[in-house]
Amino acid sequence: MLKKKVISKLAKIVGQDNISTSQEDLVCYSYDAVNKKFLPDAVIFPADSGEISAVLKLANKEQFPVIPRGAGTGFSGGTLPIWGGVVLVTSRLNQIIEIDTDNLTAVVEPGVVCGEFQKEVEKEGLYYPPDPASLAFSTLGGNVAECAGGPHALKYGVTRDYVTGLEAVLPTGEIFTTGVKTMKGVVGYDLTRLIVGSEGTLAIVTRIYLRLIPKPETTLTIMAIFKNIEAATRTVASIIKGKTVPSKLEFMDQESIKCVETYHNLNLPSDTKALLLIELDGDLITVERQADSVEEICREQGSFRVDRARNSQEAESLWEVRQAISPSLAQLNPTKINEDIVVPRSKIPYIINQIEKIKNNYQLQIVSFGHAGDGNIHVNIMIDDKIPGEKEKADKATKEIFQEVLEAGGTLSGEHGIGITKASYLAMELPEKEIELMKKIKRVFDPNEILNPGKIFYGKV
Amino acid sequence: MPPESKTFNPDSTDNLLAEASHCVKCGRCLSVCPVFRETGRETEAARGKLSLIESASAEEIKTSSKRLKEIVSFCLLCGACAEICPNLVPGDAIIQKARETFNSKDNLSLPFKLTLSHILPFPARMNGVHKAGIIFHPLLLKKVPSESGLNWRFPFPHDKKHRLIPELTDEPFLKKYSLKKPPSNPSAALFVGCVSNYVYPAIAEAVLDILQHLEISVFIPPEQACCGLVAFGTGITGIDRKLAQKNIAAFESTDPIPIVAFCSSCSSHLKNYSELFEEKEWRERALKFSQRVKDFSEFLFDAGFQNQSDLKPVDSSRRLTFHDPCHLRRKQGIFDQPRQLLKSVKGVKFVETGEENLCCGSGGSFNLSHYDISLKIFKRRLRSIEKADVDTVVTSCMGCLLQFLDGLYQENKAIRVKHLAEILGETFPR
Ligand SMILES: Cc1cc2nc3c(=O)[nH]c(=O)nc-3n(C[C@H](O)[C@H](O)[C@H](O)COP(=O)(O)OP(=O)(O)OC[C@H]3O[C@@H](n4cnc5c(N)ncnc54)[C@H](O)[C@@H]3O)c2cc1C
Ligand code: SF4
Ligand code: SF4
């Protein structure tokens, strides 16, 4: 609980209209896409880095947690106020400050929604490739904090690859900048990269310097459907091996197709067991040539129907369907345990196979889909946690899946981050020494542990 | 007088409110909620409201809380959230139900309660009220708490801001028309709706002329009342049902000819009447009624208006667009018909104004209780229209029409807004 005095100080900093402490408002800031509930003590909507700095100084003095929040669409609980405190929403820092068409760079505030920024950039003939499935509603600040990525990662990389510099506020209140506004820069440690992906635990980002690329001349979308899952995963491996790098290469299994079809009917044959959505981009001639070769690989590997989107609307609607999968899975069971494992791409058929085995062993509903092209698969264990024993079963299965992933040379999270949902598995992947080093870094940035405490590392650092 | 409607059944309410828990908090609806897009506050999007409704249903939050009511009032019931939700959560329907459940009647001001329960359902009294100007009287409305969402859609003279307020007509359309002799063998029955009846009888007249031009003989049941959508939207239990019963009874003698409604909000709500009743008899009568309802554009399209070759060019407009009312495109799935009708008009170019299906910000009573945000939502819609260099916006919902009239006036734009019937009415000699 915050003291009355503290609340009135906060109100003085951000203004009475930009703080809420009523129970009703707090409920609306108690969750993210993990769908767990933790009530904060207050929600604030600061206007700029100056106000954020004042809030953090107060937090250090009065010892209360501050939890940055973008759109609250995180998949690892990053913005949940698990120990109470103040949720700091970036919705008022929502200006695109500059799109520099001479230098192909942009400067934005963290509350700008990713997809809206992309639209503005594309109006200038430029391109910002990172494309999490949540792009229409997640913020660039949240994308930076989680180092979000999407289908484009395969060819273009993830958020990290486009951030050249940051303005941020330290947990102790100092405003600082990192990085450069140029294409290159090696002066000192790369603090930019440290903060990107730090899940709001090291600093609050208040300005983001981004690099852009020219917009590809054209894009083309292909959908290939398969009667068995192995054929689909083999196709992915063959395409990669064939030295064509699609701009997107996404995979869906039967269950995910079924769920998303209730939202948007794709008119697929009922014996469809797996589906690949592939996008190629570049100049017209190359794209056509690559499309022919990709289609041939799909057929060779056993796809029984390969369709090309006839126009951009058709393509867009296919990608819209792809973006709707994750939430639509709740139709199967109310609780989703959502993993986003990554394996070397050649190991995809293997890991899918192992997951299939684990699924049968535990008699669990496990749905897989994701960025097959870069080896990042979203594995979702769908349970009804009101049924006794389900949660424990799912936890065991999760652990086994993680073991398989690590043995295959993979990693536990490709893009959603650790937050609270995976904190207890951190030691499975990282050696003790490395975790200790990370905790030391956290202590240097945040000596009083007030910024988004309890995340990444289990408990206090 | 129709029998009493069935009292509110907590079980069925629980079912709909329980659907709030199907929201997985993914946040997709944030991207389309017109209110959230302007304010950026989670409380304004479906996701926030649904989580609050869940908490209130679980009694973690007091259902009598003023802030709860205020938060559920921040919604246009536009349905954009439901349309995009991958889990098919009917956000707008749940929010409507929450208003009904949490807005206990004790919170309403007495005069407003009286108006809603004793005047609206009875056209004769409504006329009396209209004559005396009572319903629009500032004193009556001042007492309505803004958060209850209980305001009437008509333009009010009490507004502090200089809102454009169209004058009330001297003689309501229905009253004037009731003096005429009904046709012996009608092929359509017309539902008029409040705004046209009391504010824009010229639109109703244009509709009649168009139908006449197509040689469709029209009967206008004099006993018809307000469709009840605003009462339904604000969650005033019972009154919306009473109005529905009144209308069902008024149109029963003309069964099975189609019931044509030229305000898309009305047609949408009339099509939903059966959902209002649980009791078998009324459910069945309502279903029969609803199945006969056609939106004006749908009806004209089926009647082949667009295929006439001898239409004269329209010279009041150069470039026009159709603004899709949420109640037409989302709730009735009607998109193509008004476009085909407008494209058949000679002398004007039809243009689209954005793929986004933006709401105008009217939202029934929303533009009264939250005028500033409503205007911001309108401005976003206006930007897409200005970009397309349009001189006339055509629509088919009276709420949208009033919103555009005021918004265009506030923004000082030389763009006109017209009802579909007004434009189509110019294509033949009247
Ligand atoms: C349907 C759906 C699909 C998704 N698909 C993808 C996907 O394809 N790829 C992917 O990578 N992710 C995906 N996600 C996860 C999520 O959208 C991303 O992690 C996104 O980057 C979170 O952004 P946000 O604005 O919602 O941040 P929030 O959830 O509000 O916050 C996320 C973290 O960032 C921190 N934070 C937010 N703003 C700042 C700031 N200004 N400074 C410092 N820290 C900050 C928070 O404290 C928190 O730890 C998906 C989520 C959903 C619901
Ligand atoms: S889109 Fe549906 S599931 Fe997602 S937050 Fe909105 S209402 Fe909830
Ligand atoms: S119905 Fe419209 S205004 Fe209401 S929450 Fe849904 S999208 Fe927002």
Side-chain angles (χ1 to χ4, degrees):
Chain A
M1 275 293 284
L2 287 180
K3 285 178 269 177
K4 268 222 170 82
K5 189 187 79 190
V6 175
I7 289 171
S8 69
K9 277 188 183 160
L10 281 169
K12 237 192 211 133
I13 299 170
V14 294
Q16 203 61 53
D17 289 346
N18 297 308
I19 178 165
S20 302
T21 51
S22 85
Q23 198 72 1
E24 291 79 2
D25 291 78
L26 301 181
V27 167
C28 296
Y29 287 92
S30 65
Y31 51 75
D32 66 2
V34 170
N35 203 2
K36 288 199 164 100
K37 196 157 135 191
F38 295 91
L39 285 194
D41 298 312
V43 189
I44 57 170
F45 306 89
D48 53 33
S49 52
E51 289 185 7
I52 293 175
S53 159
V55 169
L56 288 170
K57 280 180 185 152
L58 183 68
N60 269 284
K61 199 165 146 225
E62 302 287 345
Q63 300 280 314
F64 59 84
V66 175
I67 303 96
R69 179 182 172 104
T73 71
F75 265 154
S76 52
T79 190
L80 298 179
I82 52 171
W83 296 339
V86 175
V87 166
L88 183 155
V89 189
T90 60
S91 61
R92 289 174 71 211
L93 287 91
N94 63 351
Q95 297 303 308
I96 298 174
I97 294 164
E98 176 187 271
I99 296 174
D100 180 345
T101 52
D102 292 336
N103 290 301
L104 313 195
T105 56
V107 187
V108 299
E109 290 188 316
V112 173
V113 170
C114 173
E116 284 175 15
F117 173 63
Q118 285 181 336
K119 270 192 212 144
E120 290 308 312
V121 164
E122 285 174 37
K123 277 185 200 156
E124 305 291 337
L126 296 171
Y127 210 47
Y128 175 71
D131 57 347
S134 57
L135 66 88
F137 41 101
S138 65
T139 66
L140 287 166
N143 292 174
V144 166
E146 297 288 0
C147 187
H152 272 152
L154 172 60
K155 181 168 178 181
Y156 294 107
V158 293
T159 305
R160 174 195 296 130
D161 302 307
Y162 293 84
V163 181
T164 61
L166 296 168
E167 176 196 88
V169 188
L170 281 176
T172 41
E174 299 87 344
I175 300 170
F176 69 113
T177 54
T178 71
V180 291
K181 294 177 193 108
T182 50
M183 287 292 288
K184 291 176 168 178
V186 291
V187 180
Y189 294 142
D190 190 346
L191 294 179
T192 310
R193 284 211 162 205
L194 180 60
I195 291 167
V196 176
S198 66
E199 306 189 19
T201 62
L202 296 182
I204 299 184
V205 173
T206 48
R207 219 167 245 217
I208 309 164
Y209 298 87
L210 294 166
R211 83 185 172 86
L212 305 169
I213 61 172
K215 189 175 177 220
E217 190 182 302
T218 186
T219 58
L220 190 153
T221 296
I222 294 167
M223 178 173 80
I225 52 183
F226 298 84
K227 283 202 176 108
N228 65 67
I229 203 166
E230 293 78 27
T233 53
R234 263 198 334 258
T235 305
V236 173
S238 308
I239 293 174
I240 304 283
K241 213 172 153 193
K243 303 202 170 55
T244 297
V245 183
S247 48
K248 303 178 183 171
L249 175 43
E250 297 286 301
F251 158 81
M252 302 179 203
D253 73 359
Q254 189 179 18
E255 292 296 333
S256 47
I257 297 167
K258 254 198 229 150
C259 287
V260 82
E261 272 215 302
T262 62
Y263 165 71
H264 185 118
N265 198 350
L266 292 168
N267 290 317
L268 297 177
S270 58
D271 54 350
T272 305
K273 289 265 162 59
L275 180 159
L276 292 181
L277 264 188
I278 306 158
E279 186 196 84
L280 299 157
D281 71 357
D283 67 87
L284 213 60
I285 298 167
T286 319
V287 165
E288 285 285 338
R289 187 168 39 78
Q290 290 186 336
D292 292 342
S293 113
V294 165
E295 286 178 347
E296 200 177 306
I297 295 176
C298 291
R299 285 198 201 92
E300 262 170 31
Q301 296 294 339
S303 168
F304 69 105
R305 207 177 96 192
V306 187
D307 294 338
R308 240 182 236 204
R310 279 167 302 193
N311 49 44
S312 59
Q313 279 104 315
E314 235 179 69
E316 253 168 57
S317 99
L318 283 175
W319 290 108
E320 220 248 345
V321 168
R322 161 66 187 86
Q323 288 172 0
I325 300 176
S326 173
S328 78
L329 300 183
Q331 293 164 48
L332 292 173
N333 251 333
T335 306
K336 173 164 71 183
I337 300 173
N338 165 339
E339 311 304 348
D340 79 315
I341 56 157
V342 197
V343 292
R345 292 178 283 192
S346 60
K347 291 281 169 59
I348 290 180
Y350 170 79
I351 200 76
I352 293 282
N353 205 3
Q354 293 310 100
I355 292 170
E356 203 64 19
K357 278 190 199 150
I358 294 171
K359 172 171 147 182
N360 293 335
N361 274 350
Y362 284 95
Q363 289 294 305
L364 282 166
Q365 226 157 7
I366 305 187
V367 187
S368 303
F369 67 91
H371 320 303
D374 59 18
N376 187 188
I377 307 277
H378 299 311
V379 181
N380 299 273
I381 309 181
M382 306 303 302
I383 57 168
D384 185 348
D385 60 4
K386 285 187 199 80
I387 300 175
E390 282 276 284
K391 177 80 176 54
E392 291 70 25
K393 218 160 75 173
D395 285 345
K396 273 195 196 145
T398 303
K399 218 166 181 169
E400 275 185 34
I401 293 171
F402 284 171
Q403 256 148 12
E404 291 290 349
V405 167
L406 294 172
E407 268 164 41
T411 179
L412 302 189
S413 176
E415 49 189 30
H416 297 163
I418 300 300
I420 56 165
T421 57
K422 287 186 227 50
S424 59
Y425 300 108
L426 195 66
M428 271 180 88
E429 179 167 338
L430 299 183
E432 181 78 41
K433 276 228 165 84
E434 206 171 325
I435 296 178
E436 205 31 61
L437 179 63
M438 288 182 185
K439 285 184 176 174
K440 273 188 199 152
I441 294 174
K442 166 73 176 167
R443 279 182 226 122
V444 170
F445 274 79
D446 188 9
N448 292 316
E449 217 178 328
I450 56 105
L451 188 63
N452 208 0
K455 306 295 163 68
I456 304 180
F457 312 104
Y458 203 70
K460 291 219 164 226
V461 302
Chain B
M1 173 173 178
E4 277 296 290
S5 63
K6 224 187 141 212
T7 45
F8 150 84
N9 175 346
D11 284 346
S12 70
T13 299
D14 281 354
N15 286 340
L16 192 53
L17 292 188
E19 282 193 45
S21 69
H22 296 176
C23 165
V24 295
K25 315 284 186 297
C26 71
R28 253 170 95 84
C29 52
L30 306 183
S31 66
V32 292
C33 175
V35 191
F36 177 82
R37 289 181 74 181
E38 300 310 329
T39 66
R41 299 272 168 115
E42 190 78 33
T43 40
E44 260 94 275
R47 183 171 68 163
K49 289 195 238 301
L50 293 174
S51 76
L52 200 54
I53 290 168
E54 219 183 323
S55 292
S57 304
E59 292 175 8
E60 292 162 14
I61 295 268
K62 280 204 196 77
T63 54
S64 60
S65 122
K66 201 170 155 232
R67 181 70 183 132
L68 171 67
K69 275 170 218 153
E70 190 171 71
I71 291 174
V72 294
S73 84
F74 269 100
C75 171
L76 300 149
L77 300 181
C78 70
C81 49
E83 184 181 51
I84 202 171
C85 176
N87 276 319
L88 319 175
V89 177
D92 52 339
I94 297 171
I95 293 165
Q96 183 281 327
K97 192 51 123 185
R99 287 181 181 175
E100 184 178 312
T101 315
F102 305 147
N103 270 346
S104 93
K105 275 201 203 150
D106 305 340
N107 290 303
L108 309 187
S109 68
L110 186 63
F112 205 78
K113 242 192 313 195
L114 290 176
T115 310
L116 284 162
S117 55
H118 294 289
I119 298 177
L120 283 182
F122 308 103
R125 292 189 206 163
M126 187 76 173
N127 283 340
V129 167
H130 162 255
K131 211 152 121 203
I134 296 170
I135 191 165
F136 308 111
H137 196 280
L139 285 179
L140 181 72
L141 287 146
K142 265 199 182 135
K143 297 202 175 125
V144 180
S146 73
E147 72 271 22
S148 71
L150 281 175
N151 278 289
W152 196 229
R153 175 151 88 193
F154 289 148
F156 303 114
H158 74 296
D159 219 286
K160 299 174 287 290
K161 302 190 181 85
H162 303 285
R163 189 194 296 246
L164 184 68
I165 299 149
E167 295 253 330
L168 298 182
T169 170
D170 290 338
E171 195 178 25
F173 176 83
L174 277 170
K175 191 164 165 230
K176 188 169 148 200
Y177 189 84
S178 67
L179 303 175
K180 292 195 183 156
K181 207 173 141 281
S184 53
N185 213 352
S187 44
L190 191 69
F191 181 85
V192 177
C194 305
V195 179
S196 189
N197 190 29
Y198 296 108
V199 187
Y200 295 116
I203 295 175
E205 271 153 24
V207 169
L208 274 188
D209 287 347
I210 292 167
L211 295 175
Q212 210 164 46
H213 173 74
L214 291 173
E215 292 172 2
I216 292 162
S217 64
V218 181
F219 174 58
I220 309 181
E223 286 295 297
Q224 60 181 286
C226 158
C227 72
L229 177 62
V230 176
F232 174 78
T234 43
I236 307 159
T237 324
I239 291 151
D240 58 334
R241 275 107 164 149
K242 258 194 196 136
L243 291 165
Q245 286 171 329
K246 187 86 198 161
N247 284 321
I248 293 166
F251 282 82
E252 241 157 16
S253 69
T254 58
D255 191 50
I257 61 170
I259 300 166
V260 181
F262 54 91
C263 166
S264 300
S265 284
C266 297
S267 61
S268 155
H269 193 56
L270 299 178
K271 283 182 181 181
N272 267 339
Y273 268 5
S274 61
E275 302 291 314
L276 303 179
F277 300 98
E278 316 222 325
E279 177 212 354
K280 192 157 169 260
E281 185 209 325
W282 275 103
R283 220 183 148 89
E284 277 168 8
R285 285 172 76 178
L287 193 66
K288 239 172 149 184
F289 173 93
S290 293
Q291 283 164 346
R292 293 167 59 200
V293 176
K294 294 268 179 225
D295 184 75
F296 179 59
S297 59
E298 188 183 15
F299 184 80
L300 277 197
F301 183 83
D302 292 346
F305 181 93
Q306 69 285 5
N307 301 329
Q308 303 172 84
S309 53
D310 55 346
L311 295 176
K312 77 179 174 75
V314 162
D315 47 26
S316 67
S317 168
R318 189 173 47 82
R319 280 166 75 84
L320 57 75
T321 192
F322 186 72
H323 168 77
D324 293 290
C326 298
H327 279 96
L328 187 66
R329 179 168 169 171
R330 288 211 183 90
K331 309 220 168 160
Q332 302 183 57
I334 295 177
F335 177 76
D336 218 31
Q337 291 90 327
R339 286 172 170 71
Q340 294 302 331
L341 290 166
L342 286 170
K343 283 176 185 167
S344 73
V345 176
K346 294 194 190 105
V348 293
K349 186 161 170 48
F350 179 85
V351 290
E352 291 290 357
T353 47
E355 67 296 352
E356 277 192 281
N357 194 13
L358 292 172
C359 171
C360 69
S362 163
S365 61
F366 184 88
N367 77 333
L368 290 167
S369 42
H370 308 296
Y371 186 59
D372 292 343
I373 300 175
S374 165
L375 210 57
K376 276 193 194 159
I377 297 170
F378 174 77
K379 279 192 211 162
R380 193 186 283 267
R381 179 67 184 106
L382 181 60
R383 281 198 292 275
S384 63
I385 288 167
E386 283 192 297
K387 233 190 274 165
D389 190 24
V390 155
D391 58 35
T392 310
V393 177
V394 183
T395 190
S396 63
C397 159
M398 296 301 176
C400 301
L401 195 81
L402 292 174
Q403 177 78 349
F404 268 91
L405 274 172
D406 181 45
L408 291 168
Y409 167 77
Q410 300 297 340
E411 294 298 303
N412 203 3
K413 296 294 174 201
I415 298 171
R416 275 178 307 253
V417 56
K418 291 195 169 185
H419 189 279
L420 182 63
E422 292 177 285
I423 282 284
L424 299 182
E426 289 181 42
T427 61
F428 54 89
R430 280 167 71 189

